[in-house]
Amino acid sequence: GVSGELDKKMKKRIAVFQYNWPIQIFTFNLIKKLCDLNMQVDFFYDLSCESVEYISFSTLKEAHFKPYCLSVSNSLGNKIKRKFFECHDMIESSILSQSKTIIKNKRYDLFIGIEKYGLIWAGMMAELYKVPYIYYCLELYVEDHPLFFSCEYMNIPREMEKKYHASAAATLISDSMRKEKLFEFNKIDQSRSAIYIPIGVTGTPFIEKKCFLREKYKIGPDKKILLYFGNIDPSRNCTEIADSVKNRDDIVVLFHGIVKNGYEETLLKYKNIVIDTEMLNEKGVDDLISSADMGLAIYRNDYSNDRLTAFSSEKIARYCRAGLPFISFRNESYEKLGSEFKCLEMIDCF
């Protein structure tokens, strides 16, 4: 009817761009929140290095997140699944051409570019159609990162990132500490606008203790379970974690995640170690975390992307939602979190 048409005309229309980056919970949360605010959201992402996938969320009815995959259902029955792949070119010309075809007949109020390539894509479209845009930065892949000069993803788009960041209307980022570092390396005036959105997970908090891990691995009540949740890799201090409990018969460390090739054998040489690589759905992850006694969030302290993670880590958000206390290295990021919420213990070293 007339009211429906008026409502459609009054809705703000936003395009979100994501390129060469896995769809994770932050993408879903951003789009879901914008839809909850009665905005029409169009999501552009690269289906392959030669084509663009596009969906309008104006008729969104249901959406749910899976690791590295966003499945969307609306009244038109659209389904999207996209998995991470490697593509190190800037933005494919075919992607830009298809984007123009979609965008030229629509009126957008704002573009949002997720991560480096999403920013560049959004910035290119903004130049053509005179639409303001925002940079949503999750990872601080800047020059203090130890892999910066050896990883193509980090290094190649830096000048373009700086160019388009300088012209962005605002920056979405998890907290002020990460903002200060990003602006410093991108040579952006610290007085420029930033919007802080700590990484979170949807759903109500829960504190009910589950027996998932104890039942699966026959762990008795006399042992405490320390949970490591994430990539299992020597660079993540996993060897040091395993070594620190080798003489503690009252503790079991459960490593859950993807293990670097050949590394599992190294960790299993230590006592009191369990490694679980099973992929879990959302409920399984909740059961996993709620059956531990304490979590581990041992990010490296020697570069900003890992050090400043208290408000940017999905792992931390999941621990907190489950009421699971955790251990971290001491630094300014975790000191701030600990001063606001009594949820962690900090250590200086192993």
Side-chain angles (χ1 to χ4, degrees), residues 122-182:
M124 289 179 169
M125 294 299 102
E127 287 177 334
L128 286 173
Y129 298 104
K130 310 305 178 189
V131 175
Y133 63 96
I134 289 174
Y135 179 18
Y136 189 9
C137 176
L138 283 304
E139 302 288 348
L140 291 177
Y141 288 158
V142 293
E143 284 77 358
D144 75 341
H145 198 290
L147 296 180
F148 182 82
F149 295 102
S150 62
C151 177
E152 287 183 338
Y153 177 84
M154 296 184 189
N155 196 8
I156 283 180
R158 279 294 284 145
E159 293 309 311
M160 293 284 277
E161 177 193 4
K162 292 176 184 178
K163 170 189 172 182
Y164 284 111
H165 189 191
S167 299
T171 304
L172 282 174
I173 197 162
S174 62
D175 63 274
S176 61
M177 294 181 192
R178 290 180 79 88
K179 172 255 184 183
E180 288 171 8
K181 278 295 178 186
L182 177 68

Side-chain angles (χ1 to χ4, degrees), residues 98-345:
Q98 291 173 66
S99 303
K100 294 173 191 176
T101 300
I102 296 169
I103 293 170
K104 67 181 180 181
N105 294 322
K106 304 182 188 301
R107 185 191 64 79
Y108 285 98
D109 298 285
L110 181 70
F111 293 156
I112 300 175
I114 296 178
E115 285 297 348
K116 295 176 187 290
Y117 287 101
L119 165 68
I120 295 165
W121 189 1
M124 289 179 169
M125 294 299 102
E127 287 177 334
L128 286 173
Y129 298 104
K130 310 305 178 189
V131 175
Y133 63 96
I134 289 174
Y135 179 18
Y136 189 9
C137 176
L138 283 304
E139 302 288 348
L140 291 177
Y141 288 158
V142 293
E143 284 77 358
D144 75 341
H145 198 290
L147 296 180
F148 182 82
F149 295 102
S150 62
C151 177
E152 287 183 338
Y153 177 84
M154 296 184 189
N155 196 8
I156 283 180
R158 279 294 284 145
E159 293 309 311
M160 293 284 277
E161 177 193 4
K162 292 176 184 178
K163 170 189 172 182
Y164 284 111
H165 189 191
S167 299
T171 304
L172 282 174
I173 197 162
S174 62
D175 63 274
S176 61
M177 294 181 192
R178 290 180 79 88
K179 172 255 184 183
E180 288 171 8
K181 278 295 178 186
L182 177 68
F183 281 29
E184 174 190 336
F185 280 100
N186 283 2
K187 296 180 170 54
I188 305 294
D189 191 297
Q190 294 288 348
S191 64
R192 291 277 299 278
S193 295
I195 303 165
Y196 302 130
I197 306 180
I199 295 298
V201 288
T202 56
T204 56
F206 55 90
I207 57 174
E208 180 187 356
K209 209 69 177 166
K210 300 293 181 66
C211 298
F212 174 76
L213 290 174
R214 294 191 182 278
E215 292 176 353
K216 184 174 182 178
Y217 291 105
K218 310 302 185 213
I219 300 171
D222 58 322
K223 297 181 186 295
K224 298 293 185 182
I225 300 174
L226 297 186
L227 175 64
Y228 175 96
F229 180 62
N231 290 331
I232 305 169
D233 186 286
S235 67
R236 297 290 184 179
N237 294 288
C238 294
T239 305
E240 290 81 358
I241 291 169
D243 186 66
S244 70
V245 300
K246 64 183 178 184
N247 297 320
R248 294 289 302 269
D249 291 332
D250 60 331
I251 291 175
V252 171
V253 176
L254 190 292
F255 289 93
H256 183 276
I258 300 172
V259 190
K260 185 176 181 179
N261 288 341
Y263 187 49
E264 186 170 357
E265 292 76 11
T266 300
L267 288 180
L268 290 176
K269 291 177 183 177
Y270 292 91
K271 290 175 59 180
N272 309 317
I273 301 300
V274 175
I275 297 176
D276 188 332
T277 59
E278 181 184 359
M279 297 300 291
L280 300 173
N281 60 21
E282 190 77 9
K283 181 181 182 303
V285 171
D286 289 344
D287 289 345
L288 174 85
I289 291 173
S290 64
S291 61
D293 295 295
M294 182 165 278
L296 295 167
I298 308 296
Y299 290 98
R300 288 170 58 172
N301 257 343
D302 57 334
Y303 59 98
S304 53
N305 191 55
D306 267 29
R307 188 176 71 255
L308 306 176
T309 45
F311 299 94
S312 65
S313 167
E314 181 187 336
K315 172 164 49 188
I316 303 302
R318 290 187 178 278
Y319 286 168
C320 290
R321 184 164 70 104
L324 182 70
F326 63 91
I327 299 169
S328 76
F329 279 142
R330 186 183 308 279
N331 62 47
E332 65 271 38
S333 182
Y334 287 94
E335 285 176 345
K336 181 179 180 183
L337 178 63
S339 70
E340 296 179 21
F341 305 98
K342 306 304 180 185
C343 58
L344 72 155
E345 289 289 337

Side-chain angles (χ1 to χ4, degrees), residues 11 27-37 39-43 55-64 70-78 80:
K11 271 189 176 183
T27 302
F28 169 76
N29 284 346
L30 175 67
I31 292 172
K32 182 68 167 63
K33 183 62 177 178
L34 292 172
C35 289
D36 289 345
L37 293 171
M39 297 180 185
Q40 181 169 331
V41 182
D42 297 344
F43 181 50
I55 182 170
S56 173
F57 283 77
S58 59
T59 53
L60 182 71
K61 298 296 182 185
E62 176 189 353
H64 63 276
L70 183 69
S71 298
V72 178
S73 303
N74 65 15
S75 59
L76 302 177
N78 289 318
I80 290 181

